[in-house]
Amino acid sequence: MKIQMRLLLLIIAMTTASVVTALLISSVLIHDALESDARDSLSAVLEARHSSLLRHLERTQHQLQMLAEDHATAESLIALGNAYGKLGSNAQVLLQQAYLSEQGKPKTSKPSPLVGADYERAHAVVNPLFTRYRETFNWQDMFLVDPKGNVVFSSGKEEDFATNLISGPWKDTGLARAVAPLLHDTVPGVMSFADFEHYAPAANRPAAFMAMPVFDKEKGTFAGVVAIQLPVQQINELMKDKTGLGESGDTFLAGKDGWMLSDSRFAKDSSILALQIKTPVVIKALQGESGLEQVPDYRGIESFIAFKPLKPFQAATLLGDHPQWAVIAKMGKDEVLTEFYDLRLKLLLTGLLLALLACVFGILGGRGITRPLLGIRDALASLSRGELAEVPSLQRRDEIGDIAKAAEAFREMTQRVERDHWIAENVGALTGAVSAETRMEKAVDSVLHLLCERLDVPVGAIYLRSEDVFKRAGGHGLARRSQTEDAFQFGVGLLGQCAKDNQSLVLSPVPAGLSIISTGLAEFPPHELVIYPIAHKEEVLAVLELASARSLTPLQHEFLKTAAAALGLHLANLQAAEHNLELLVETRKQSAELREQQETLQKSNEEMHALTEELRSQAEEMKAQNEELKASQEELRSQQEEMQHKNQLLETQSSRLTEVVQEAENKAKELALANQYKSDFLANMS
C-alpha cells in the first residue's frame, strides 16, 4: 500500500485512537518516570549507606592499626604479660576476684592486694590510656592478649577478662576466633576479624571483634595481640537515616545467613541478630550480586528493593572470618505510585478533551507519516556520530521501507567498518608492541598484557616452540598451581594438539578441576579456555592460551584469529633477529680469534722471512763451498788417478820384490843347508 492511501487511513484512524494513545502514553510515561525516580532515589540511598559503612570500617581498621603500631601498646602488653605470668596458674581467679564484682562487673574500689604489686602497678598505668582510647573511638571493649592467649587486660572487665582464649571457657567465642589466628601467624600488619554474633561474656550482646598483632620494634619480637569489640550500634546508627524513603521505606544491613545487623523501621523491638531474612534479594546480595528489583519484601509487601553486597576490609590482609554482608534499601510500591493514581484520573478527563481536538485536527495527522522518516534520519545521524542505533520501519513495503532498508545497509556497513577498525587498531597495537621490543621475553610480556587488557581476560600464557617442545615464555595472572606445567610436547595434550593441527581450540564451559584464576582471597575455575596457534608459513611458532571468566564474543575471537596471524610474522622476524644477533656475536668472537691468529701468523711469517733470508745466505755459502768442493774433487780425482798409477807400479815392484825375497830366502835356505852339510862333514871328519 502506497503512502498516499496510508495517509488517508491514518487521518480517519487518528480521531478514534488519539484518546487511547494519549492515555496510554501518558500513563506509561508517568508510571515509568515515577518508577525511575524511585529507583534513582533508592540507588542513591543504597550507595550512600554502602559508602558510609565502608568508610566506617576503614576508619576503624586504621584506628586499630595505629593502636597496634603504638610503642605504648607494646610496652603495656609486655608489662602486663610479665605481671600476669608472675601470678602463676591462679592468675585468672586472682585477677577476676580483684577487678570483677560478684555480678561480673568492674569493681569501683581498689583491687585486692592479693593480685600483686607488679600487675596493679602496670594496670594503673595502662587502664587510663586504653579507657581513653575506648571512649574516644566509641568501642565496646578493648583487650590485650599475650602470646600464650591470656587476656592480660580488658578495659570493660567482662567475664572474659584474665581467661585464656586458646584453652579457657571462651575459646569458641568471637574474640577467640579473632585472636587465635594471629597467635599462630604473627605477621605485622595482618588483621583478623570475627563477624557479629551473640557474645556470651558480654551479656550475650551482638558484637564483632577485630584484632592485630603487636611487635616490640626495638627487639623485633612478638609482644601479643590487641583486639577491640565492635558494638553493632555504630552500624545501626549509620543505617537509621530514612531521608528520601517516605513512610514505607527502610534501609538495613543483613549478615551471615540473612540475620539483620541493624534495626528494622517496622519492628517494635531490636531486630539485630533477632530477625532472619531469606528473601531472594538478600540471598542474591549475600552471594555477591547487586541490583534493583520490584518484589515483595520480608513482610510480603510489594516493594522496590535495591541491594548490594558489602565485603568488609577488602584491601586488608585478613585472617579469621571473611564475611559477606548485604546492604538493602526498599520502598513500598503503593507509596511510589500514589501520584500516578491521582494523575491517571486527571489524564482520563484530559483525554476526553484531546479526543475532541483529535477530531478537529485529525487532518493534520499526516505529520505522523513523517515520524518513521524522522526515526530513520535520527538513526542515520546517530550512526554518522559513531553511536549504536537501530533503524526503524524495516518491515514496511512502501517508500519508507525502502529508505529504511537502505539505512539498515548503511548501519551494517558502519558496524562492519567499526569492527574492522577495532580489530585493525588492536592488532596494530600488538604488532607495534612486538616491533618495539628486541628481546622475545619482553615482546611476549607486552603481547600478553595488551591481550588481557583489551579482552578483559584475567589469565593468559604464551608458549614458544623449541624444536618439538613448547616452553612457556610469559604469563599473566597465573595461579600458583597452574605454574607447574610450563612445557608440553608437540601433539601432546590440548596445547600440543592445537600446535599440531594449527587450529584454535575453545573450551566453554571449562570442566571442573581446572582452577587457574586466582586472587589473594579466592581461587575459581574459568568459564572459557581459549587456545590459539601462532604460525608463520604453516609452521606453528607459539601457542597462546587465555582463561576467561566469561565467554568471549565472536568479535573478540575474530580479533584473536587476526592477531595470531599477524603475530606469527613478527615473532618469526624477532626470532630471526635474535638468531642474527647471536650469529653476529659469534662472528665477532670468531673475528677476534681470527685477528689474533692473523697477528700470530704475521709474526710467524716475519720470523719465517728472516729464517728464509738466513737460509738464502747459507745456500749461497753452500754453493760457493760446493764450487770449491767440486774443484777439490777434480784435483782429488787426478791425484787418485796418479796414486792409482803409482799403486800399480808399486804392486809391480812389490811382486818383483816378493820374487826377489823368495829367491833370496831360497838361496839362504840352500846356503844354510850347505853350511849344515859342511858342519856335519867337518864333524864327521873330526
Side-chain angles (χ1 to χ4, degrees), residues 611-625:
L611 182 61
T612 302
E613 291 296 329
E614 183 179 356
L615 290 175
R616 186 180 294 112
S617 61
Q618 291 179 357
E620 290 177 354
E621 292 179 1
M622 289 292 293
K623 185 176 180 181
Q625 292 177 357

Side-chain angles (χ1 to χ4, degrees), residues 107-118:
K107 285 184 178 180
T108 57
S109 59
K110 288 187 177 182
S112 170
L114 295 175
V115 74
D118 290 342

Side-chain angles (χ1 to χ4, degrees), residues 328-370:
I328 309 296
K330 60 175 285 295
M331 185 184 297
K333 178 182 177 183
D334 290 340
E335 183 178 4
V336 172
L337 299 179
T338 299
E339 295 182 19
F340 168 72
Y341 300 139
D342 296 338
L343 289 173
R344 186 168 59 181
L345 179 59
K346 297 177 182 179
L347 288 174
L348 287 173
L349 299 175
T350 306
L352 296 176
L353 179 60
L354 290 176
L356 295 175
L357 294 175
C359 293
V360 175
F361 297 101
I363 194 67
L364 302 177
R367 294 181 180 179
I369 299 298
T370 61

